[in-house]
Every structure is written in C-alpha cells, then in structure tokens.
Amino acid sequence: MTPTARRRNAAPPREAVLAAAMDTIAGGGLDGLTMAGLGRDVGMSSGHLLYYFRTKDELLLQTLEWSEARRGAERRGLLSGQATVRERLDAYVDLYVPAGHRDPHWTLWLEVWNRSQGADDDARARQAAIERAWHRDLVALLAEGISHGELRAVDPDRFAARLRALLDGFSVHVVVGIPGTGRAQVLRHVREFIEDSLL
C-alpha cells in the first residue's frame, strides 16, 4: 500500500471526529447529525464510525465529554484568577448559562440527558462525573468566599446544589427558547438570587 493510500484509509484523530460532531450540532442541530453525514465530513464510512463509537448514544456522550473538558479548562481559568469571589461567581454563572436559543453545548446536554433514561451504569457514571466537576468548583469558590468574609455563611455544598438546580432550570428555558426567559433576563434573576442569598 502506498503512503498516500495509507493516509486516505487512516482514521482521523478522535478529537477531529468529536469536533466535527460538535460543528454539525452548532450548524444544524441534532437532526443534522447522522453517522453517514459525520462520516462524510471526516472521510470515514458510517460503519467505521460505529466501530469506534458503537452507537450514536456513545458518540454523543463522548462529544459531550470532549466539549466539557474544554469548558472545564476555561472554567478553571476563570475561577483561579485574581478577581473577587463575587466576580468569579458571576463568571461561573456566565459560562454556565447558554449563549441563547439552540446553544449547541446545551442542545447536546439535553439530548444526552434525555437518552440517559436507558443508559447503562458506565454512561451514567460518566455523566455524573461531568456534573461533579461543575459542583466541586462551585463549592470551592463558595467556601473561599465564606472563609474570607466576602459571602454570607452558608453550607457551600447545599447552596451549590440549589444554585445549580436554579441554573439548570433557567438554562433549559433559554436553550429551548421559552419567551421571556432570554439569557439577559436569566442572568439578572440569578444575580438577584445571589445578592439576596449570599451578600
């Protein structure tokens, strides 16, 4: 086999496949994401993709994990800065809330959540790991603010669970496009809740 033929038949790096899947979701939503279409985009057959990912559910979950790894790095960068705890808390909320209707990251999240009703234990554990990372970072930030006297004394773990439930609920409204719950309105609601509860 010639070097050119080997290059043509070689599978693209996993990250390229996951990035292409995310681009497809961003461009046309989940309806546009098919194994055949994704295969064309990355130069692989749908059968070859299924060999690597087994099912579309697995492809979606791996795409979410890949996207979350990138967002996790961004989140850690925001939270490790020199800004005040309140400013970093606002940055956390800004990153959490969808950019708007049909935000691709949240669209993918909702689909994975929806499919998780029939997921196996491994898939559920991987989803829980993503949730724990967001929760752990928020708890640490709240604990820092409380210890420095910047925030009112609350149980950081319990408050983080409640704040994230509020963010999840509002974020679903934003991404599905419920009238009256745009990103700007949601951010105002959440900031008022934080002021009332923590300051």
Side-chain angles (χ1 to χ4, degrees):
M1 182 182 289
T2 67
T4 302
R6 274 198 299 274
R7 278 198 301 274
R8 190 169 49 244
N9 293 333
R14 175 179 165 275
E15 185 162 331
V17 175
L18 301 177
M22 200 69 198
D23 287 345
T24 299
I25 294 168
L30 281 159
D31 289 343
L33 181 63
T34 64
M35 288 300 203
L38 182 60
R40 283 192 300 274
D41 291 343
V42 298
M44 294 173 68
S45 69
S46 55
H48 204 166
L49 282 174
L50 285 169
Y51 174 79
Y52 284 104
F53 296 102
R54 300 190 316 275
T55 65
K56 187 173 181 180
D57 285 5
E58 179 62 21
L59 169 67
L60 293 173
L61 181 52
Q62 285 195 34
T63 303
L64 182 62
E65 289 173 321
W66 171 80
S67 176
E68 277 292 334
R70 296 162 62 95
R71 288 169 65 87
E74 182 180 358
R75 184 177 68 246
R76 287 187 296 276
L78 289 170
L79 299 185
S80 64
Q82 298 302 309
T84 66
V85 168
R86 175 58 200 273
E87 289 168 338
R88 284 180 280 151
L89 185 54
D90 284 344
Y92 177 100
V93 170
D94 284 342
L95 185 62
Y96 202 108
V97 175
H101 181 216
R102 295 184 178 167
D103 175 287
H105 182 81
W106 267 91
T107 297
L108 177 58
W109 245 130
L110 291 178
E111 183 66 14
V112 171
W113 275 344
N114 185 50
R115 291 170 179 252
S116 69
Q117 296 176 74
D120 61 22
D121 290 343
D122 174 66
R124 287 177 177 275
R126 288 158 62 195
Q127 287 177 256
I130 294 170
E131 294 284 351
R132 278 195 305 274
W134 281 94
H135 186 77
R136 181 181 58 245
D137 287 349
L138 180 55
V139 169
L141 183 62
L142 293 171
E144 179 187 342
I146 293 163
S147 69
H148 293 168
E150 291 184 55
L151 303 178
R152 181 182 299 163
V154 296
D155 180 323
D157 187 69
R158 286 170 56 85
F159 190 87
R162 292 172 181 168
L163 178 56
R164 289 189 55 248
L166 180 73
L167 288 168
D168 284 343
F170 273 135
S171 294
V172 170
H173 287 194
V174 172
V175 79
V176 300
I178 293 178
T181 54
R183 176 179 165 83
Q185 292 154 306
V186 164
L187 292 175
R188 280 197 302 272
H189 280 304
V190 174
R191 285 175 180 145
E192 286 173 9
F193 172 75
I194 289 170
E195 287 171 7
D196 292 345
S197 305
L198 291 178
L199 302 179

